[in-house]
Amino acid sequence: MHRTIFTTPVVNTLLRGFSVAFLKLTGWKVEGSLPPQATKSVFIAAPHTSNWDLPYTLMVAFALRLNPYWMGKHTIFKAPFGPLMRWLGGIAVNREQANNLVAASAQAIRDADGPLQLIVPPEGTRSKTRYWKTGFYHIARTADVPIVMAYMDYAAKRSGLGPLFEPTGDIEADMNAIKAFYAPFKGKNADQFESGPR
């Protein structure tokens, strides 16, 4: 995978210090840690309701010493911001041409020399949606890595890493269990988050 802000020496150290200080000063609590068996994993990013999710996610990732990559709509990678978005860990996704996205993402995780956490928002959009996309689930299954239930609760000002979720293959039951975990959390625009059954 390409070099990111998280793998750039000195910058990483400075931004981690800034992130920890900023989150503390603004009242945010960072919870959890990444288990050793999940250094390669797929992160659920929910609820995803605002553009503010990205900067907060990056700061939490610094605080937890993660090496994340995230998927974003291909339009935000257009010039002149493309190189910056990729340096921030972004991977452009064209939703109209995502036919091989699962296989490519899983292969990238398997091929990585070191830790790599792929962040995938299951809603696939900041707009309110009742049905979650299952790409994160299939990527984890294909790459044979665990799913980390990462969360950001704006109401309680807490963010972090929840339990690992090992897919069973029963996608309907698994998705219902995952959504039940996220039901209490509130996004920045809470009215846009739907965590009911599929």
Side-chain angles (χ1 to χ4, degrees):
M1 299 290 279
H2 56 274
R3 176 182 286 273
T4 71
I5 196 171
F6 297 97
T7 57
T8 303
V10 181
V11 172
N12 178 297
T13 302
L14 292 173
L15 288 180
R16 181 177 186 276
F18 168 81
S19 298
V20 170
F22 179 87
L23 291 168
K24 185 174 182 179
L25 287 171
T26 54
W28 279 81
K29 183 178 180 182
V30 179
E31 304 170 330
S33 60
L34 189 65
Q37 69 270 34
T39 54
K40 285 188 177 183
S41 50
V42 173
F43 278 28
I44 299 174
H48 176 44
T49 63
S50 166
N51 284 328
W52 283 103
D53 294 344
L54 177 57
Y56 276 108
T57 295
L58 296 178
M59 286 189 287
V60 171
F62 274 118
L64 292 173
R65 300 182 184 275
L66 304 177
N67 183 35
Y69 289 80
W70 49 272
M71 294 181 171
K73 191 174 180 181
H74 70 285
T75 53
I76 69 172
F77 290 84
K78 291 183 177 180
F81 301 109
L84 173 62
M85 291 297 164
R86 290 182 180 86
W87 189 55
L88 293 175
I91 300 170
V93 175
N94 187 332
R95 292 172 189 156
E96 287 76 42
Q97 301 175 357
N99 51 348
N100 201 32
L101 181 61
V102 168
S105 300
Q107 190 63 48
I109 294 172
R110 286 195 297 262
D111 290 346
D113 292 333
L116 187 156
Q117 299 89 47
L118 182 63
I119 300 174
V120 185
E123 298 102 324
T125 175
R126 295 185 311 278
S127 303
K128 184 173 183 178
T129 178
R130 182 173 181 81
Y131 300 104
W132 282 16
K133 296 180 182 295
T134 55
F136 74 90
Y137 185 93
H138 294 296
I139 293 169
R141 290 263 295 169
T142 303
D144 193 25
V145 298
I147 293 170
V148 178
M149 296 200 285
Y151 57 88
M152 188 166 292
D153 188 348
Y154 282 84
K157 282 195 169 184
R158 63 192 188 103
S159 181
L161 306 181
L164 299 186
F165 188 90
E166 298 284 352
T168 67
D170 184 341
I171 190 167
E172 184 173 356
D174 286 352
M175 291 296 287
N176 284 336
I178 290 169
K179 286 186 174 186
F181 170 80
Y182 281 99
F185 300 122
K186 302 297 183 185
K188 186 170 180 61
N189 299 314
D191 60 324
Q192 294 181 9
F193 182 60
E194 173 61 67
S195 62
R198 296 178 73 235

